[in-house]
Amino acid sequence: MVEKLKAKIRDIPDFPQTGIVFKDITTLLQDGAEFRRAIDSLAARYVDGHVDLVVGIEARGFIIGSALAYKLGAGIVLVRKPGKLPYKTHRMEYQLEYGSDALEVHHDAIPEGARVIIVDDLLATGGTVEAVVKLLNHFKCEIVELTFLVELTFLNGRKRLADMPVHSLIQY
Ligand code: AMP
C-alpha cells in the first residue's frame, strides 16, 4: 500500500530552492481512492485512542488533519502563520535555516485534559512540529502522538523530537 501511495507523490527538484527535493503531495490528494486510503490508514491507528482534537499545521496539515478529524469524530484546531487567527492567540517563534518564523493558536483552542494528535503533511528536520509542541505547552493537554503522511528519515527529525511519540505513513 505504501508503494502505491509513494507512486502518487511527485518529486520536484530544486523547489523552493536549489538542492531541495520537494515532495509534492497534490498528485496524491487528486486521487480520491488513494487519498481515502491514506487517511483511513492513519485513522486506523487512532480509532481506539480517544482523540479529542487533531491539531493541524498550516497549510497542508489542515488538509490531512481535517480529513483525519472527520474520520475520528474529533475536532480540529488550527495552528496558523502570524496574523491569520482573529481572536487572542499564543505565539511561538522558531528558527529557520535563514531567519525565523512564528506560529499561532487561539488561546482557548484546547481544553484542559484534552487528548490531541498533531498532524502535518511531512516531517523534515522537525523544526516546525517542535515549535507546535512548545506552543501546546500553554495548554494542559495530552499529546498522544505527532503524525505525518510523509517522513524524510535522512533529515533525522525524530532525533530532534526524541521524547515524543512520532508516526509516519510513508518514509523516504
Ligand atoms: P521541518 O520543520 O523541517 O520538519 O519542515 C516541515 C514543514 O516544511 C512541513 O510543513 C512540510 O510541508 C515542509 N517541507 C519541508 N521539507 C519539505 C520537502 N522536501 N517537501 C515538501 N514539503 C517540505
Side-chain angles (χ1 to χ4, degrees), residues 91-168:
R91 181 190 175 94
M92 179 58 60
E93 308 257 346
Y94 64 106
Q95 296 304 310
L96 298 172
E97 203 172 342
Y98 305 109
S100 68
D101 209 342
L103 288 167
E104 295 181 348
V105 66
H106 275 150
H107 83 118
D108 57 354
I110 305 178
E112 188 172 338
R115 287 171 57 80
V116 311
I117 53 176
I118 301 176
V119 178
D120 205 356
D121 66 322
L122 184 141
L123 174 64
T125 65
T128 308
V129 76
E130 185 185 37
V132 175
V133 169
K134 287 183 183 157
L135 189 59
L136 295 200
N137 281 339
H138 286 284
F139 303 96
K140 292 192 178 99
C141 61
E142 189 182 337
I143 299 174
V144 174
E145 199 157 60
L146 320 180
T147 197
F148 304 88
L149 185 62
V150 179
E151 176 180 3
L152 305 182
T153 56
F154 53 90
L155 293 175
N156 294 318
R158 270 178 203 258
K159 214 167 167 187
R160 184 171 192 158
L161 306 164
D163 51 350
M164 302 295 303
V166 175
H167 172 70
S168 62

Side-chain angles (χ1 to χ4, degrees), residues 18-34:
T18 312
I20 304 282
V21 179
F22 191 84
K23 295 290 179 193
D24 178 15
I25 64 158
T26 61
T27 34
L28 167 57
L29 300 177
Q30 283 161 212
D31 184 318
E34 293 304 322

Side-chain angles (χ1 to χ4, degrees), residues 58 80-85 91 101-104:
E58 187 167 359
R80 300 209 63 179
K81 305 277 167 60
K84 301 282 188 186
L85 288 169
R91 181 190 175 94
D101 209 342
L103 288 167
E104 295 181 348

Side-chain angles (χ1 to χ4, degrees), residues 2-123:
V2 169
E3 287 312 310
K4 271 182 104 176
L5 293 174
K6 270 189 173 175
K8 282 286 164 185
I9 296 174
R10 176 162 64 184
D11 279 0
I12 311 287
D14 299 321
F15 182 88
Q17 58 197 61
T18 312
I20 304 282
V21 179
F22 191 84
K23 295 290 179 193
D24 178 15
I25 64 158
T26 61
T27 34
L28 167 57
L29 300 177
Q30 283 161 212
D31 184 318
E34 293 304 322
F35 180 38
R36 173 176 279 174
R37 204 195 304 269
I39 297 300
D40 284 351
S41 9
L42 282 175
R45 190 173 170 85
Y46 305 107
V47 273
D48 300 322
H50 307 287
V51 172
D52 301 302
L53 289 168
V54 174
V55 175
I57 308 175
E58 187 167 359
R60 288 180 296 272
F62 293 171
I63 300 166
I64 310 299
S66 57
L68 196 52
Y70 180 84
K71 183 88 187 171
L72 294 173
I76 177 137
V77 168
L78 307 185
V79 170
R80 300 209 63 179
K81 305 277 167 60
K84 301 282 188 186
L85 288 169
Y87 192 52
K88 283 181 268 180
T89 58
H90 293 303
R91 181 190 175 94
M92 179 58 60
E93 308 257 346
Y94 64 106
Q95 296 304 310
L96 298 172
E97 203 172 342
Y98 305 109
S100 68
D101 209 342
L103 288 167
E104 295 181 348
V105 66
H106 275 150
H107 83 118
D108 57 354
I110 305 178
E112 188 172 338
R115 287 171 57 80
V116 311
I117 53 176
I118 301 176
V119 178
D120 205 356
D121 66 322
L122 184 141
L123 174 64

